[in-house]
Amino acid sequence: MDIFAQQLVNGLVLGSVYALVALGYTLVYGILELINFAHGETTMMGSMIALAVIGALFGVAPDLPGIMIVLAGLLVAIPACMLLGYSIERVAYRPLRHAPRLAPLITAIGLSIVLQNVAMLIWGKQYIAFPTTLLPQGRHNVFGASITDVQIAILVLTVVIMFGLVTLVNRTRLGRAMRATAQAPAVAQLMGVNVNAVISSTFIIGSALAAIAGVMVSANYGQAHYYMGFLLGLKAFSAAVLGGIGNLAGAMLGGLLLGVLEALGAGYIGDLTGGFLGSHYQDIFAFLVLILVLTLKPSGLLGSRSVERA
């Protein structure tokens, strides 16, 4: 029972990260019906930029409170990723908005590779360590599971961000414009909605979420790497598909479910296979889920069948 509770906690923390990244995928898809496969690399850039700032501040001002140093890194990473997201939309996707669907897909994959190589040139191939001493190191026992202060902060922050995003989409003028653009871009433009600004805002918001998720990952696992965004992005995309891509609640649900499934699989795969497979095979669960969902329910758990726009 203790193993189950521990893996459940680990899965909820991991799923929170997947959910934040999946929200970026689902925001863009909901409006453009475009999969931004460079989104995982935006998460990676957020993590790397934040760690660069944290390392620099920790080196020159080690007496500063650790929370302030981490917040400074986050506050630099968020606008940097927002600018990156805007630039990606403006330079790479906007000119291809009315092109055949294969063109932006290839562009997204190309951008992903470019961002990986840019990060490798700037920070090198080695792992960058997160100075974990900057954050509280307390541990708490919850139903037999051990949960750290960092993990609690990740869960609480994720809930706050999800609630804020739902409020933004459903209760604000920008949210109404986003929903109108997703429903019928041409009609929304005729009604005075600046469609280009709305689409750019969607990329900017998704990139901000990606930056926060990147810092969460590095804080929880204690390191970052130029290649970390690739697998994280694919898993988050799987989470978005699981929940129903284009559906905000679906992205949140899919992320949490996928995180829990992956963690439970890592904890029990050895027992289920008689020791043949170890916990390092946990990555297969995300892609098994993706295959099953696309085969059995392509619209996802909370998605609805889409129809071609007139």
Side-chain angles (χ1 to χ4, degrees):
M1 188 63 186
D2 289 349
I3 295 177
F4 176 82
Q6 185 63 60
Q7 294 304 104
L8 183 62
V9 168
N10 294 341
L12 288 174
V13 173
L14 183 61
S16 297
V17 175
Y18 289 162
L20 287 185
V21 182
L23 284 170
Y25 281 108
T26 211
L27 279 170
V28 171
Y29 185 85
I31 291 182
L32 287 179
E33 295 189 353
L34 164 73
I35 304 298
N36 177 21
F37 278 116
H39 191 59
E41 274 56 49
T42 304
T43 307
M44 175 271 296
M45 292 296 286
S47 180
M48 301 295 271
I49 291 170
L51 281 182
V53 174
I54 290 169
L57 282 178
F58 188 56
V60 300
D63 295 330
L64 280 176
I67 295 294
M68 289 184 61
I69 294 177
V70 174
L71 284 177
L74 185 60
L75 291 176
V76 173
I78 289 175
C81 286
M82 291 168 73
L83 179 60
L84 175 62
Y86 172 77
S87 301
I88 288 173
E89 188 278 327
R90 186 67 181 83
V91 175
Y93 293 141
R94 188 176 297 183
L96 300 175
R97 195 173 294 168
H98 302 293
R101 296 199 177 195
L102 188 60
L105 178 62
I106 294 173
T107 300
I109 296 172
L111 276 172
S112 174
I113 296 171
V114 168
L115 290 174
Q116 287 177 19
N117 282 272
V118 168
M120 182 181 66
L121 289 172
I122 296 174
W123 291 287
K125 296 182 180 180
Q126 70 280 3
Y127 284 86
I128 299 179
F130 185 98
T132 53
T133 55
L134 294 176
L135 296 174
Q137 301 297 306
R139 286 185 173 272
H140 311 275
N141 191 282
V142 180
F143 299 111
S146 175
I147 183 169
T148 67
D149 290 335
V150 172
Q151 291 175 324
I152 293 174
I154 289 173
L155 292 172
V156 172
L157 185 58
T158 300
V159 171
V160 171
I161 290 172
M162 290 178 176
F163 177 78
L165 183 62
V166 170
T167 302
L168 171 70
V169 172
N170 293 322
R171 301 290 180 87
T172 68
R173 185 176 179 179
L174 175 60
R176 288 193 296 271
M178 291 169 66
R179 286 182 281 126
T181 303
Q183 186 71 26
V187 176
Q189 191 161 14
L190 289 174
M191 298 299 293
V193 175
N194 188 335
V195 171
N196 286 332
V198 169
I199 293 172
S200 294
S201 298
T202 302
F203 274 84
I204 289 170
I205 293 170
S207 298
L209 297 178
I212 297 171
V215 176
M216 286 180 175
V217 171
S218 56
N220 189 46
Y221 292 103
Q223 61 186 15
H225 188 250
Y226 80 96
Y227 200 65
M228 62 180 282
F230 176 72
L231 191 57
L232 177 60
L234 286 179
K235 290 181 178 181
F237 171 67
S238 300
V241 173
L242 171 62
I245 193 161
N247 185 305
L248 292 181
M252 300 174 195
L253 177 63
L256 293 174
L257 284 178
L258 187 63
V260 169
L261 179 63
E262 185 176 322
L264 291 176
Y268 290 102
I269 190 171
D271 294 335
L272 293 174
T273 61
F276 178 71
L277 298 177
S279 60
H280 53 282
Y281 283 92
Q282 67 183 41
D283 294 338
I284 67 174
F285 290 98
F287 304 110
L288 284 176
V289 167
L290 178 61
I291 293 170
L292 288 173
V293 170
L294 289 176
T295 302
L296 302 177
K297 198 176 190 299
S299 59
L301 297 177
L302 301 183
S304 57
R305 291 187 179 274
S306 61
V307 294
E308 291 295 328
R309 292 174 178 154

